[in-house]
Amino acid sequence: MRFKAFTEHPASVGESYGQHLAAASRFGIGMILGGLACLVHGLLPFLFVRTGSAAIARLHDRMVVHRRDAVRLRLQSGAKAV
């Protein structure tokens, strides 16, 4: 077996397994830190007033906007859509 389960999804978003591992890890850490800020904010509402929403906006921008731009650039360069 060729480990298709490890490579199929990363390839579908234009990444190698290692690139996808690194990107997913960065997202996970960002989500954890944003979540912790939200928990602290719930207890102490004067702290981290915008941190949670800023983390969500930043993660969305990286996941959706930048990925869409990367796909557009690949298509303009003549690469096949994945």
Side-chain angles (χ1 to χ4, degrees):
M1 182 175 165
R2 289 210 67 227
F3 300 107
K4 186 177 177 183
F6 288 96
T7 58
E8 187 173 29
H9 171 65
S12 76
V13 294
E15 296 172 339
S16 70
Y17 175 78
Q19 290 169 325
H20 192 71
L21 174 63
S25 297
R26 283 190 301 274
F27 274 90
I29 290 168
M31 291 168 68
I32 289 168
L33 293 176
L36 290 172
C38 287
L39 289 171
V40 171
H41 173 73
L43 293 169
L44 305 167
F46 51 89
L47 294 177
F48 303 113
V49 175
R50 294 184 182 91
T51 306
S53 57
I56 291 168
R58 188 172 47 255
L59 291 169
H60 176 269
D61 185 55
R62 274 197 268 161
M63 179 178 282
V64 177
V65 177
H66 286 104
R67 183 164 289 156
R68 183 175 47 222
D69 291 343
V71 168
R72 187 177 305 123
L73 287 173
R74 275 198 311 272
L75 291 174
Q76 288 173 352
S77 70
K80 186 174 88 175
V82 286

